[in-house]
Amino acid sequence: MPRFMTLIHLDESNIPAQGHSAELGERMGRLAEEMNKAGAMLETGGLHPSAEGTRVTWSGGKLSVTDGPFTESKEVIGGYSIIQAKTQAEAVEWAKRFLQIHEDYWTLTAETRQIAE
């Protein structure tokens, strides 16, 4: 069965200072449990803030290293999942469900792409 990676893009400046709510954590847990029972979930995780990251760029035959935060980026990748699904459409449905469990004040984008085998 094909595997898909979903990247969750978010604006770090709009994340609540206290992080996600306890209720959101519970909803995430229920959805993860459902995905596990369906055999879809392979791996998932959140990422530390971009301020703790490093970018390595290859351009013009040279390497450059930039420590975060990355001021030129409004949206960053805040989390990911790797799932298996029969089709891209099925993977997108799981991504939609993940986004919909968030409160209205969140602004998130899910990018879902099939992993090349």
Side-chain angles (χ1 to χ4, degrees):
M1 191 174 323
R3 295 180 305 146
F4 297 87
M5 175 173 270
T6 299
L7 303 170
I8 302 299
H9 299 264
L10 52 84
D11 180 348
E12 286 183 313
S13 66
N14 288 333
I15 296 174
Q18 71 278 10
H20 65 73
S21 68
E23 294 82 9
L24 176 55
E26 291 169 10
R27 290 190 299 272
M28 284 184 187
R30 286 193 300 271
L31 180 59
E33 184 177 329
E34 182 180 345
M35 293 177 78
N36 282 326
K37 284 181 181 176
M41 181 64 70
L42 300 176
E43 184 177 338
T44 187
L47 301 176
H48 284 257
S50 66
E52 298 174 22
T54 302
R55 285 187 179 162
V56 180
T57 303
W58 175 256
S59 179
K62 295 183 181 184
L63 284 174
S64 64
V65 178
T66 306
D67 291 330
F70 311 115
T71 56
E72 69 277 6
S73 297
K74 181 175 179 176
E75 283 191 346
V76 299
I77 298 172
Y80 70 95
S81 68
I82 298 175
I83 68 166
Q84 52 186 13
K86 294 176 187 152
T87 63
Q88 174 82 12
E90 182 182 332
V92 168
E93 286 304 313
W94 285 118
K96 287 178 181 179
R97 291 195 50 203
F98 175 77
L99 295 179
Q100 290 173 322
I101 65 174
H102 287 75
E103 293 90 356
D104 291 344
Y105 55 82
W106 287 90
T107 300
L108 305 168
T109 301
E111 177 183 347
T112 301
R113 297 170 59 185
Q114 186 170 347
I115 296 173
E117 301 293 342

